[in-house]
Amino acid sequence: MESRITELEIKISFNEDQIDELNKIIYQQQRQIELLAAELRHLRDQVNNGQSVERRNLRDEIPPHY
């Protein structure tokens, strides 16, 4: 009985560590989503205000290995 309790305590501890790690990842992803949303709003404002967004042709750029 004692070994079963110890085993369950170990599993609970492992699960708590996993939950903490997942919470950190979710927090980082939420911050990234907020930054991307702010950037999208900024770009949308530029387009709506008639500011030119630099367009470039990837065919004109030299690949990095040259």
Side-chain angles (χ1 to χ4, degrees):
M1 180 73 165
E2 181 69 29
S3 67
R4 289 184 66 194
I5 291 174
T6 303
E7 203 172 302
L8 289 172
E9 288 173 339
I10 291 170
K11 287 182 179 183
I12 289 171
S13 176
F14 178 74
N15 286 341
E16 287 175 344
D17 288 343
Q18 274 192 320
I19 289 170
D20 287 342
E21 280 299 313
L22 290 172
N23 282 336
K24 289 177 187 175
I25 291 170
I26 290 170
Y27 174 77
Q28 291 170 347
Q29 288 178 338
Q30 184 60 40
R31 285 191 40 91
Q32 186 175 21
I33 288 169
E34 290 168 358
L35 291 172
L36 290 170
E39 186 175 348
L40 179 61
R41 280 191 301 274
H42 176 71
L43 290 171
R44 207 176 270 153
D45 289 344
Q46 278 184 344
V47 169
N48 289 339
N49 292 333
Q51 298 175 357
S52 67
V53 176
E54 181 182 330
R55 294 183 186 235
R56 57 186 184 157
N57 189 344
L58 294 178
R59 293 180 185 188
D60 295 337
E61 293 186 16
I62 298 174
H65 61 278
Y66 283 112

